[in-house]
Amino acid sequence: MPELPEVETIRRALAGVLCGRCVKGVETTVPALREPLSATELAHFAAGKILSVRRRAKFLIFDFPGDRSMLAHLGMTGSFRVMQQGGERQKHDRAFFRLDKNEVLVYNDIRRFGVLKGFVREDCAGLPPELAGFGPEPLEKDFCGNYLHRRLQRCKGPVKPFIMDQRVVVGVGNIYASEALFRAGISPERTGASLTAHECATLVNCIRKVLNESLKLGGTTISDYKRPDGSEGNFALRLKVYGRAGLGCARRGCGGLVRRIVQGGRATFYCPTCQK
DNA sequence: CCAAATCCCTGCGTGC
DNA sequence: TGCACGCAGGGATTTG
């Protein structure tokens, strides 16, 4: 369940290890993830020196010389690790990128919800077409109360699925959507259009806070997520509502119970006492 | 145009 | 012991 803090944690670790290193060959073990996967095609884009590892929304972008890049999405269960050449292969390893110094970058993805594909930077100003139309980065300045308020004006549906919509703001997934709404004291069942300008400003601040706080702790490990060095993120301990259905609300003196509902086919957790 | 439902996939926990 | 089932959820696609 990598959301922004998890993907950014992975990006930082990979950038530190991989920048300046060379990709010398690609091998795949399955014909497709969420989209077709071809070693030949990937090798055309992921070749030579890794110039940078960027992040946009929940996507990672590996830049190579000659205006070539590789886009990577982790889906639900994707992970990267670096191992020695000839090191032990694991179940669900889907792609191997042979590096210099006898090392290998491995992409593992149990459920194959991820994406690995090449693109040419000059064709698209550095970002591939599937990222066009994405909303602002939540930790950047252009994501502000006024912006969110404007975008929510026409939203007749519940606010929670809306803040998970990548066209509104990127990087907020199911866990942090519930957590941010709890911290903002806003019920996930409120319609987007019903939020006041002041509530939008509060929600923006809470989204920022929860993402930053998680980033500081290396993300949230629930089940599959691991940092590239194999360690776990520590934010799970700070979750106030997510996965806590039936348990007492974390706010001192509240005494209410956390409720679980389903919105847009996904679990939402909230405290009916604290969130109005 | 918008919102809700469905599908992709695998592992795990539960109940019988 | 095993089997059916529900759940986990990012995002594309389909349906209403």
Side-chain angles (χ1 to χ4, degrees):
Chain A
M1 40 207 71
E3 303 180 33
L4 187 145
E6 292 76 35
V7 179
E8 179 60 20
T9 298
I10 291 165
R11 187 200 69 76
R12 290 176 184 178
L14 290 179
V17 176
L18 295 178
C19 284
R21 300 289 300 277
C22 270
V23 173
K24 305 193 150 204
V26 181
E27 182 194 335
T28 54
T29 61
V30 282
L33 301 173
R34 197 171 74 209
E35 295 178 21
L37 188 65
S38 149
T40 320
E41 207 166 304
L42 266 186
H44 178 71
F45 297 93
K49 191 186 272 193
I50 299 174
L51 304 175
S52 49
V53 184
R54 292 181 285 149
R55 179 189 60 77
R56 169 71 172 121
K58 299 170 191 168
F59 289 85
L60 291 169
I61 298 162
F62 299 77
D63 293 318
F64 294 89
D67 252 339
R68 290 167 191 187
S69 291
M70 179 175 74
L71 183 70
H73 193 280
L74 302 167
M76 288 291 302
T77 53
S79 66
F80 280 105
R81 73 180 191 278
V82 176
M83 69 173 189
Q84 290 294 308
Q85 186 92 259
E88 196 173 338
R89 295 197 170 192
Q90 292 177 13
K91 202 174 177 183
H92 310 307
D93 282 346
R94 310 298 191 187
F96 301 93
F97 301 87
R98 193 160 51 82
L99 302 170
D100 50 13
K101 299 184 194 168
N102 287 321
E103 289 189 318
V104 185
L105 172 67
V106 186
Y107 177 78
N108 183 290
D109 185 0
I110 298 169
R111 290 164 71 178
R112 289 188 243 170
F113 278 13
V115 172
L116 289 178
K117 69 194 294 188
F119 68 96
V120 177
R121 291 195 292 283
E122 71 169 1
D123 290 352
C124 52
L127 290 174
E130 47 263 79
L131 277 66
F134 271 26
E137 287 285 333
L139 301 179
E140 301 283 323
K141 274 201 189 117
D142 47 348
F143 181 58
C144 62
N146 283 341
Y147 165 82
L148 187 63
H149 192 231
R150 182 162 45 79
R151 289 300 303 265
L152 285 171
Q153 295 289 312
R154 282 166 294 139
C155 169
K156 297 192 183 82
V159 63
K160 190 253 191 175
F162 203 75
I163 59 172
M164 292 170 62
D165 185 335
Q166 302 298 291
R167 292 167 302 184
V168 176
V169 60
V170 303
V172 179
N174 203 40
I175 295 175
Y176 297 114
S178 280
E179 291 297 312
L181 285 165
F182 173 79
R183 283 160 174 76
I186 296 168
S187 166
E189 298 194 277
R190 289 270 298 279
T191 67
S194 76
L195 266 65
T196 64
H198 181 258
E199 285 175 320
C200 287
T202 304
L203 183 52
V204 163
N205 281 336
C206 290
I207 288 172
R208 283 224 182 87
K209 249 195 243 165
V210 77
L211 294 178
N212 271 322
E213 207 182 313
S214 179
L215 197 46
K216 232 184 274 175
L217 295 176
T220 302
T221 295
I222 297 280
S223 55
D224 299 301
Y225 167 72
K226 289 265 172 34
R227 295 153 81 164
D229 68 1
S231 67
E232 300 195 340
N234 294 311
F235 191 71
L237 299 170
R238 305 283 185 93
L239 296 176
K240 303 246 199 288
V241 285
Y242 185 84
R244 296 179 45 84
L247 300 176
C249 171
R251 188 174 63 87
R252 273 170 55 111
C254 170
L257 298 182
V258 175
R259 219 155 87 75
R260 178 189 185 277
I261 59 173
V262 174
Q263 294 180 305
R266 243 132 250 175
T268 297
F269 300 89
Y270 74 109
C271 171
T273 309
C274 296
Q275 296 173 254
K276 297 295 179 192

